[in-house]
Structure formats: C-alpha cells, structure tokens
Amino acid sequence: MKFGGTSLGDGKRIRHVASLIRRYSEENELVVVASAMSNVTDELIKLTSIAESGRENEVDELLERLSSQHEDAIGDAIKDEKISAEVWRYIQRDLDGLRRAVKGVCYIMEATPRTRDLILSFGERLSTRILWGAMLDFGMPAVYLTGKDAGIVTDSNFGEAVPLIETTYLNLSSKLGNLISEGKIPVVTGFIAADTHGVITTLGRGGSDYTATLIGSAINADEIWLWSDVDGLMTANPKIVPNAKVLPEISYAEAIEMAMFGAKGLHPRAFEPTIEKGIPVRIRNTFNPEKPGTLIKKSRVVSGDVVKAVLLVENVGMVSVRGTSIVGRPGTAAKILDAIARRSINIMMISQSVSESSISFIVKRDVLEKAIAAIETSLLSSGIAKDVEVDDDVAVVAVVGEGMKGTPGIAARVFKAVASKGINIKMISQGASELNISFVVRVAEAVDAVRAVHDEFKLGIEN
Ligand code: ASP
Ligand code: MG
C-alpha cells in the first residue's frame, strides 16, 4: 500500500492512514510506502533554489517552517508520549542533515543534481518516520526503512534514476520478505533509492508510486494499492466535465497512457514492473475508503467499450520546423529530435506530413524557448531547416482506450464531434498501438473539444 502526499497532509490524516493500515493488516501481510507530506517536495525544491542564490535568512525561515510542520504532525498523529519523543528525536536528526546539506548549498551557491536528490530525499524520510510512529502507537509491528535500506538500487541519473531491476528485486524480496515472515510491517520511504556507490538518488516526481510497484513486484504481492485523494481514475477531469465518472477497471496500457498525459500525477514508469508479473494495481481514496477505486490489470477488451477517457493537457507549446530541404533527406527528423533530446527536453507528441515538408511537435510550455533555441542553433545555422514556427496557444486533447485498436470509425467520430462544435484542429497524431488519438486545438476551445468527445462516446454518468 502506498499513501500519497495529500493522504499524509497533516498529523490527523497520518493517524487516519495508520488506522486504515491496521484495518487491512488484520487479514493481510503488508508493506507500506509513504510519500512526503503534501507540498513538502515542492518546498524542498524551493529551498534548494533559495539556497543556490545564497539567501540564508530565507533558508532559515523555510527550514523553521518545515520543522514546525512536522512537529505539529507528530503531535496529532501519535498519542503515546514515549513514541512521539522517539519520533521527534529521529526527525530532528533528519532535519539536521537537511540543514547541513542546504547550508552547504548556500555557501557554494550551487546545487548539483546529486545534492538536489539528497535534499529532496528528506521529505519522504520525515513523513515516513511519523507514519511509522503512528503505526507503533496503534500497536503494529512497524519497521522503518528508506528505499535505500530496502535495497532499491539505481543508476546515477540523479533526479530521474532508473532502478537496476534484477538487483533491486533480489534485495527487496530478501530484505522485505524476511521482515514479513517475522510478522513485521515494513514502512518504506517512497521516491528514494541509492546508486551502486550508495549515494542517494530519486526516482523522479511522483516516484513513490514506482517504489510501491517495484516492491509489490519484488515480493509477488497479490495486489498493489495506491491510496490517494481521488476515488479513482476518471473518464475526464471532473472540473471541466461535470458528469465524468470513475473507471472501475482499465488496462496497464491505458493507465500508462493516462499517466503520460498527466492523469492524477501517476508516475509513467510505475506500471512497468507490474506488467511483467501481471500484478493488479488499485487506485483508492483514503478520504473515501469504502469506494472500490479503479482496478488496473492485464487488458480485457470489452467490445463496445472502445474509448475509456478523454484527457486535456495544458501548458504546452507547438514547434513546427519547415524547409524544403527536409523533403526526401533521410535523417532530418532524427537530427531535429536529437537536437531537442540533447537539451533533455521531452517531446510529448510528434507529427510529420507525408510531403515531409514540415515536422511539428509538442513540448511542455516551460521548455518551449529552450526547444526553439536548440532548433535554431543546430538546424537553422546548418541549413537543414529553413524556418521554425512556434505556437503557444495550444492544448492537447488525448483520447485513450485499448478497444480503439482495429475498430474502424473511431477517429471519424472523434473528429466529427469536434468539428460539430466549430473547433479547428491544428495537429493530429495516432500511434501504431491505436491506443491513443491525440489532437491539438486552441486553448480557448480545448474544454469544449474534451466535452464533445466525452459526450460522443457517452462516457459520463447519464442523467
Ligand atoms: N514526494 C515526491 C513528489 O512529490 C514523490 C511522490 O510524491 O511520489 O514528487
Ligand atoms: Mg505524490
């Protein structure tokens, strides 16, 4: 069971989570994974950049805030005074480690990716320690471990480290397997691992999900539950589509697709470990634990159920590279993509016309300028491309569903629904997996486009 940051948002919530764990621990063997308390990772990122600019007073203030936030949480989460005193001692030790790391950054005014990971790791260390204490308070045999202690080993790609799967599985299954067979309940920090030299790494934002699926797969769990603050994955964002409903069941491939497009901040790689072993993943709500949530498992395509969800991706920009010299010249697309990749910019969507005279792609808006600079320096100057055009008035609508594969007429229905609202489509892409049809529209028309497709496939609750 993994608990997200909002579920651990304050001391009362942490206590509530501990009570949920107790309820399920009566009939199951469990491993618990915890995220940082809500916003703490963001605060630690902010702390790092303040430290990099050497603003020591602000650093002290922020550290003080983090300290009292966690101190308050202990007060509400743990009733037993001896346990809370012990937890507070551990927390102070961690806060001291954090303080020293951040002060170091202050003095040299620079944070390397490695230092950044060290600093970010404290969010999970602090929250998990409090959850551990709350579990002890309820009389559970909890054992605290960091992801590193548990045995998650990664490469040294700080900030987005990739687990060395076989070693990690071996370590996790022996370490956690032993604790479980002794009747203990391991409580593991999400997000954190270590490289082969023992240096702390992190698995990328939202990485606690990944920690949970790695552990679940390593120990051959019956199910992996990701507890968060939503009733499950939905047919659309209910903020823009009021009759959107929770999906009772989807496939791994659909879940990955939804994660890539930002649904509920799931880590896109989180499902990799579970697919191989076929372990079902359930998304559940700590604030509404009676609801069954969404079950994610091996695909079982039900006919008629072709489109599952319609997602809106905002804060993106479109770059189009034109030039007749692109036509018929093998390797141009590769050069364009390479120029982008070398700046570590992620391309979310891509499309090239058959005439080959233009290639368009979508990136996050905050890296748009960087992408253009990359194209300009490496392609315009060498004459490979003639012209680069940017459009930041765009949003992506992604239509997801495994049943679309091989079902004729889905694309026609999608585009007809959008056209009937008078909305112009700027770019289209469908992967060969036919799992996802994505298209780009103007920002002002994006919500209507989502609603049109959602209605066309009758995805919502009927009234
Ligand atoms: N605390 C980390 C983050 O905010 C990891 C996680 O929550 O899964 O990205
Ligand atoms: Mg999270």
Side-chain angles (χ1 to χ4, degrees):
M1 290 187 173
K2 171 257 172 178
F3 294 89
T6 319
S7 302
L8 304 167
D10 59 33
K12 286 202 185 74
R13 290 181 179 181
I14 294 175
R15 192 167 177 83
H16 169 63
V17 161
S19 75
L20 280 175
I21 297 169
R22 186 179 56 176
R23 188 203 293 179
Y24 289 103
S25 70
E26 280 159 12
E27 287 176 8
N28 301 281
E29 292 174 328
L30 288 179
V31 176
V32 175
V33 173
S35 281
M37 291 176 73
S38 47
N39 294 325
V40 167
T41 306
D42 289 333
E43 293 283 293
L44 290 170
I45 291 171
K46 201 163 101 193
L47 182 62
T48 313
S49 63
I50 294 172
E52 273 186 299
S53 57
R55 284 155 27 221
E56 220 180 325
N57 287 340
E58 282 174 59
V59 161
D60 289 337
E61 274 169 36
L62 201 46
L63 282 169
E64 195 43 54
R65 262 211 329 262
L66 282 167
S67 170
S68 49
Q69 178 183 357
H70 288 89
E71 187 177 7
D72 289 349
I74 296 173
D76 289 330
I78 304 165
K79 300 273 176 274
D80 184 291
E81 273 169 30
K82 254 174 69 194
I83 297 171
S84 60
E86 189 185 358
V87 168
W88 179 233
R89 271 198 303 279
Y90 280 118
I91 295 276
Q92 278 177 307
R93 200 187 61 186
D94 278 338
L95 285 169
D96 200 47
L98 171 63
R99 186 173 300 113
R100 275 180 300 174
V102 178
K103 289 282 173 159
V105 171
C106 251
Y107 301 142
I108 56 175
M109 293 176 76
E110 179 194 11
T112 61
R114 170 174 164 164
T115 308
R116 205 174 288 273
D117 272 5
L118 174 66
I119 292 173
L120 292 194
S121 75
F122 285 99
E124 269 69 10
R125 298 201 222 187
L126 296 167
S127 64
T128 307
R129 189 54 89 177
I130 301 175
L131 179 59
W132 168 78
M135 287 171 67
L136 293 181
D137 199 16
F138 277 106
M140 285 180 269
V143 177
Y144 172 98
L145 300 113
T146 64
K148 175 183 172 179
D149 303 334
I152 302 177
V153 184
T154 66
D155 62 13
S156 304
N157 183 20
F158 297 101
E160 195 84 42
V162 178
L164 309 178
I165 283 290
E166 294 309 323
T167 320
T168 296
Y169 279 174
L170 273 175
N171 292 346
L172 286 173
S173 68
S174 76
K175 195 59 96 5
L176 301 178
N178 284 342
L179 288 169
I180 294 167
S181 57
E182 286 166 19
K184 304 269 167 50
I185 307 178
V187 204
V188 185
T189 61
F191 187 48
I192 315 175
D195 70 6
T196 51
H197 307 288
V199 179
I200 298 281
T201 57
T202 65
L203 303 175
R205 293 308 304 270
S208 302
D209 292 334
Y210 200 12
T211 305
T213 55
L214 282 168
I215 291 176
S217 302
I219 62 172
N220 280 309
D222 296 321
E223 283 194 14
I224 297 160
W225 291 1
L226 306 178
W227 289 92
S228 68
D229 57 350
V230 293
D231 284 339
L233 295 175
M234 302 194 71
T235 54
N237 181 346
K239 287 197 190 111
I240 60 172
V241 182
N243 72 337
K245 66 179 184 210
V246 173
L247 289 157
E249 197 178 303
I250 59 170
S251 69
Y252 294 126
E254 288 166 337
I256 290 171
E257 218 56 44
M258 292 178 74
M260 300 273 251
F261 287 97
K264 126 93 250 77
L266 282 169
H267 193 291
R269 288 207 314 269
F271 298 100
E272 280 171 17
T274 63
I275 292 173
E276 203 186 322
K277 303 216 170 168
I279 300 175
V281 178
R282 204 181 273 282
I283 313 277
R284 302 195 59 179
N285 189 350
T286 40
F287 303 105
N288 207 352
E290 308 318 322
K291 286 272 166 77
T294 298
L295 183 64
I296 304 166
K297 52 186 240 185
K298 277 220 174 90
S299 74
R300 188 180 58 100
V301 176
V302 183
S303 64
D305 209 5
V306 280
V307 170
K308 289 281 179 61
V310 189
L311 303 157
L312 173 60
V313 189
E314 291 175 289
N315 301 315
V316 294
M318 180 164 75
V319 180
S320 303
V321 184
R322 282 174 231 280
T324 43
S325 59
I326 293 178
V327 180
R329 217 200 232 185
T332 309
K335 281 191 188 115
I336 294 172
L337 300 186
D338 183 56
I340 302 296
R342 266 188 284 127
R343 312 263 172 131
S344 300
I345 297 169
N346 187 35
I347 293 182
M348 302 177 71
M349 181 176 164
I350 180 164
S351 143
Q352 179 185 304
S353 60
V354 180
S355 76
E356 303 176 35
S357 60
S358 99
I359 294 175
S360 303
F361 58 86
I362 298 284
V363 294
K364 289 250 163 66
R365 189 153 323 147
D366 55 7
V367 292
L368 192 55
E369 268 173 45
K370 220 164 105 186
I372 300 158
I375 302 280
E376 284 182 330
T377 46
S378 41
L379 299 173
L380 293 184
S381 56
S382 60
I384 293 172
K386 289 239 155 34
D387 173 31
V388 48
E389 224 177 76
V390 188
D391 187 348
D392 62 2
D393 181 20
V394 293
V396 179
V397 178
V399 183
V400 175
E402 209 162 18
M404 297 197 292
K405 191 179 174 74
T407 311
I410 303 299
R413 280 174 69 189
V414 168
F415 297 127
K416 206 171 139 222
V418 176
S420 72
K421 301 280 183 235
I423 298 170
N424 178 46
I425 294 176
K426 299 187 181 209
M427 174 182 168
I428 298 174
S429 120
Q430 176 187 289
S433 66
E434 297 180 38
L435 184 65
N436 172 334
I437 297 174
S438 299
F439 57 91
V440 174
V441 295
R442 283 184 48 219
V443 171
E445 296 173 330
V447 169
D448 282 339
V450 171
R451 289 182 186 149
V453 179
H454 197 264
D455 284 348
E456 169 64 28
F457 291 93
K458 299 195 169 41
L459 300 183
I461 299 161
E462 288 171 50
N463 39 11

